[in-house]
Amino acid sequence: MHAKSLDSLCIYYLWRFKSNEAMEYDFRKIEKEWREFWAENKTFKAEDFSDKPKYYVLDMFPYPSGAGLHVGHPLGYIASDIFARYKRLQGYNVLHPMGYDSFGLPAEQYAIQTGQHPEKTTKENIARYRGQMDKIGFSFDWDREVRTSSPEYYKWTQWIFKQLFDCWYDKDADKAARIAELVATFEAQGNANVNAEHDFEGTFTAEEWKAMSEKEQSSVLMSYRLTYLADSWVNWCPALGTVLANDEVVNGVSERGGHPVEQKLMRQWSMRIKAYAERLLTGLETIDWTDSIKDQQRNWIGKSQGASVRFKVDFDSAQSTDHEIEVFTTRPDTIFGVSFMVLAPEHPLVDQITTEEFAADVAEYKRQASLKSERDRQSDVKNITGQNTGAFAVHPFTGEKVQIWIGDYVLASYGTGAVMAVPCGDQRDWDFAKHFGIEIINIFEDIDISEGAYAEKDAMIANSDFLNGLPAKKAIKTAIHEIEKRGFGKGKTQYRLRDAVFSRQRYWGEPFPVYYKDEVPHLVPDEDLPITLPEVDKYLPTEDGEPPLARADKSAWNYQKGDRMEFNTMPGWAGSSWYFLRYMDPDNQSEFVAKEKVDYWQNVDLYIGGSEHATGHLLYARFWTKFLYDLGYIPFEEPFQKMINQGMILGRSSIIYRVSIDMKVDEKRVDSGSQLKPVFVSLRRKDSFTKEDYIRYLSKHYNDYPFSTDMLIGEIDFTPIHVDISFVENDVLDTEACRHWRPEFAYAIFAPEDDGKFLCGHEVEKMSKSKYNVQTPDDLCDDFGADTLRMYEMFLGPLEQSKPWDTKGINGVHNFLRKLWRLFHDKNNEVSLDEGTPSKDALKTLHKTIKKVGDDLERFSFNTGVSNFMICVNELTDQKCNNKHILEQLTILISPYAPHIAEELWVRLGNQAGTISYAKFPEFNEEHLVESSHEYPISFNGKMRFKLEFPLDMSKDQIEKEVLANENAQKWLEGKDPKKVIVVPGKIVNVVI
RNA sequence: GCGGGUGUGGUGAAAUUGGUAGACACGCUAGACUUAGGAUCUAGUGCCGCGAGGCGUGGGGGUUCGACUCCCUCCACCCGCACCA
């Protein structure tokens, strides 16, 4: 419109005014008014206690980044909002909150670059997010908003940390218990009979315990606490200056930024999540998540069952004696197939058992292995390396001596860092044995292992003493039984899940409620929480490599006991592991959540978010939930009962094609083709575009220069170039806008289609700034309205599927809402309703829609819901229906999807403002759909040929007779007798010829 | 390699228990009303064929009166895991 003259503007508005177009469905006015109404009246405030049943709908809360929301973010929020509104209509007391996961790296990186406090940028970003979300008309109860970075919130994150510190895992009771209980046990009987998840080595008596100093006792207890300080191998990312959790490292580089990660031994806080491995696994069976996410978690936890077996190191061969190598195996049934042992190069026994003869080689191998990064070791799988130690182990059953090797295919960090090698049953062992010429013993009956190992569990065991003739499954049990009986091992379950590192060397995160006295950590008492973030001069590590918090003066902290505070901060997942609980009671000053409130609200009924948090947030939140359950603070063990993972919305980039060909021209004029005005060719002309065409276009724009095809060298090629999608509509490029966009297009020559339009190609890819394909919801809200955006995002396809964003269809949805509006209004945009009895047809349309839309909501099929509304409005328009009863019901039905227009129409129908959100969801009455006859599709050999209408109460025989008598049927029978006629009453007739 | 998912017109898709494949929408074609349009209405639009008709849900096979739907097998793409003993 900006390009139009003043004159034309006047005519434009005159026309709009005259035709009343401007007054029709004025979404800008309607949506603004209703949003204000909802905010003022707190329409969506959830009551903490109610006679109504509760329903908790939660979205994964966003990290408020500087880029704002793009159209992919609201997809899940819209779906959950529709569902929340639906549940309100069904009479539920709905908890539907929103907040911000506002601690995190990007704000801190920005702070480092600009010196601005991350709190400032975080607040600005939150304001932007809030503004964007408000535009879409979500029914959030904003009074419950939480921000993980606010001290009122992280006070309780710190408090939960303290509870974890104050607990240990009692394996007998299979739950967390207070440390005081453990101390009492130690005082009474030492640690010998304590069955705990721990990493304390050795035993002590009650007397020995009592004799320990406070520092010694503290150190022992650390090995039992559910969060503990320990020197552990961590993923250190030098570029980010911090450690990362396993789930934050992907293929050996950091998930954020892709920086290299190395292993480093550091004193860090860790979470003893291992204690919950089994419950995290079994709990999956009680929740309604996708198999994909459950499998990812199962995989991450990595349970394997088998036996741990101790092999004695042979007395004569080893340098020192009395050593045992403990291995874990899932196939104890193959123990007679062991022909060597392999230790990880880092295994602590390596140096002690290596013979003099091999010492130099072993040292060299270890050195080389240590140089390889985790990543190299992972990618270099095919290259078989290893080194004999010269030592031998004694086979516990046969007493035979087997060689002990080291090899980097054995991981120090899994199991015991040592394996018993069974080359006949394990391909890696087989490869290793072949490569180094070690004996391969076959212990399977009638199995050929000359070409490779046999890893299946369906063979009979042979050559194995007491296991002979047993199938694998039985043999495993028998072997474990025998191993335990003879006392050199026992059945064991091993988990791949590691304890989670909980310290980050960053500024913008929760401070620990911990201070140190003589390097012994102490907890800050509850009454002094929260420990707030101190001010620092820079957000960088100190010169000594201490975390940024070490820059803070003692006086800058709001707590000053001991020698110093903890300088690390908590990781991003700390705050997000329990935020769903705080929404229930966001302002509570004395508890993280009141017991009565969590007893009422219980866990999240429906959780919607991306699947990318499968092994991070979703696992940690389950862990903390189980822990809080163990302590009796909350009444459930799983935080998120049902989860839906929305698909990613991909961008649709627009691409134009630049002619690329070398050209020889007069040096005075231009040196090469690249300095000529670029020529862009419309999509459909691309394939037929010739050198002559190119020359023609050039000549037209350089009147005075004699171009000819002789100057062209080689063949014409096209370079695809991304253009900003804001200049493109329905793949047609606004070439003038494009010229003004960037200098390189200013003098471009565009070769359009025959109709003068310039068509772009397109590419479906992730939305990104550099591809000029980012769509923000803001523009669409302004242009079409929030209701259109909401319905369109749903209309795009199934929620779980990832799909390209394409605004082409948005007009269709917008027009649908206009059509809906017209049902209620006459030509002058006055409300016009028939208050009489609805027609049979209208009732049928309505109830068909009630049924379908209701079913669609129940199975989260939001896209078909929109289609059904369209069908309904199309039918009612055809029927010229403006019946008040029908339209009122339809308005309620559509209100979860398009709440603004529904509110407006609701009032126009004569109802009280704001009451539609708590109206009653229309009840389906089958009576209106009852038909007396059915139009039967008549098929021949399964192919539908024509239709015939018969009464529904007509008998099968009668229908068969009628069908065969029909002249149309005679044609298809071609005079033959049908072999069989299938009549399915109310469905179909199939004639078999 | 293992696990999960997807595959249907020019496009996004629908088909809920095996029963009319392509609803709904975009786009496109023709027309009406208009004539500076993000408007409305009518008709058409899976492919091949003038037509009768034939073909058609990634490919091949099977079960069935009847298969997008169930079974076997192969292929392509996406996601996750990957020396886990």
Side-chain angles (χ1 to χ4, degrees), chain A residues 885-937:
Chain A
H885 167 79
I886 300 286
L887 295 185
E888 200 160 62
Q889 295 283 293
L890 174 61
T891 305
I892 300 172
L893 211 51
I894 206 168
S895 66
Y897 284 83
H900 309 84
I901 193 174
E903 285 274 13
E904 180 69 23
L905 294 172
W906 184 246
V907 171
R908 287 176 182 234
L909 285 162
N911 296 290
Q912 198 195 326
T915 54
I916 192 171
S917 297
Y918 296 93
K920 190 172 179 303
F921 193 80
E923 211 168 298
F924 169 61
N925 185 347
E926 202 167 1
E927 273 173 39
H928 299 295
L929 301 191
V930 172
E931 297 273 6
S932 57
S933 65
H934 176 70
E935 195 178 32
Y936 284 87

Side-chain angles (χ1 to χ4, degrees), chain A residues 787-857:
Chain A
D787 286 338
T788 300
L789 176 75
R790 289 169 66 106
M791 291 200 99
Y792 185 58
E793 289 222 9
M794 293 299 102
F795 189 58
L796 236 37
L799 183 60
E800 296 94 328
Q801 251 171 50
S802 53
K803 53 220 148 196
W805 177 256
D806 188 344
T807 50
K808 254 200 240 158
I810 200 164
N811 272 318
V813 174
H814 188 67
N815 288 339
F816 154 74
L817 287 175
R818 295 166 49 100
K819 212 167 169 181
L820 172 73
W821 181 266
R822 281 201 299 273
L823 280 178
F824 293 69
H825 297 89
D826 61 19
K827 277 180 189 150
N828 300 315
N829 204 32
E830 301 288 337
V831 176
S832 158
L833 298 166
D834 158 30
E835 306 214 2
T837 315
S839 73
K840 228 181 141 185
D841 281 349
L843 278 169
K844 189 176 162 188
T845 296
L846 174 69
H847 282 267
K848 192 175 72 183
T849 307
I850 293 171
K851 175 91 173 84
K852 292 208 164 186
V853 168
D855 287 353
D856 288 341
L857 282 165

Side-chain angles (χ1 to χ4, degrees), chain A residues 187 249 485 687 726 808 889:
Chain A
E187 280 172 356
V249 180
K485 203 171 103 189
D687 295 332
S726 59
K808 254 200 240 158
Q889 295 283 293

Side-chain angles (χ1 to χ4, degrees), chain A residues 21 38 66 83 95 98 104 159 178 189 231 235 267 292 314 318 352 396 439 464 472 489 614 683 701 836 912:
Chain A
E21 282 292 318
W38 295 331
F83 206 76
L95 180 56
M98 182 49 88
W159 179 85
R178 291 288 174 183
Q189 43 176 293
D231 289 319
N235 306 301
R267 195 154 183 81
S292 161
D314 183 55
Q352 299 174 50
E439 183 193 6
S464 297
L683 180 69
H701 287 81
Q912 198 195 326

Side-chain angles (χ1 to χ4, degrees), chain A residues 404-468:
Chain A
I404 303 174
W405 287 65
I406 60 174
D408 68 4
Y409 83 91
V410 176
L411 304 173
S413 53
Y414 183 73
T416 59
V419 300
M420 57 175 225
V422 183
C424 68
D426 184 288
Q427 193 57 44
R428 292 155 303 169
D429 296 346
W430 192 92
D431 292 340
F432 195 89
K434 268 275 182 249
H435 189 260
F436 290 107
I438 306 169
E439 183 193 6
I440 297 176
I441 307 165
N442 191 355
I443 47 129
F444 299 119
E445 211 167 287
D446 302 327
I447 300 283
D448 176 25
I449 50 140
S450 59
E451 294 302 316
Y454 189 79
E456 305 298 316
K457 280 189 188 168
D458 54 8
M460 283 295 194
I461 304 293
N463 232 334
S464 297
D465 193 5
F466 59 92
L467 296 174
N468 284 341

Side-chain angles (χ1 to χ4, degrees), chain A residues 161-170 175-188 190 194 196-198 204 209 217-228 269 272 523 627 631:
Chain A
F161 171 85
K162 286 185 62 183
Q163 309 312 307
L164 284 153
F165 184 85
D166 193 42
C167 285
W168 61 291
Y169 200 85
D170 181 347
K175 60 187 276 199
R178 291 288 174 183
I179 280 285
E181 276 179 39
L182 186 67
V183 172
T185 310
F186 287 172
E187 280 172 356
V194 172
E197 180 69 37
H198 67 97
F204 51 81
W209 168 258
Q217 287 187 342
S218 159
S219 147
V220 170
L221 289 176
M222 269 302 178
S223 316
Y224 288 86
R225 295 183 191 277
L226 285 180
T227 184
Y228 58 95
W269 287 101
R272 208 177 295 282
L523 294 183
F627 169 69
L631 296 189

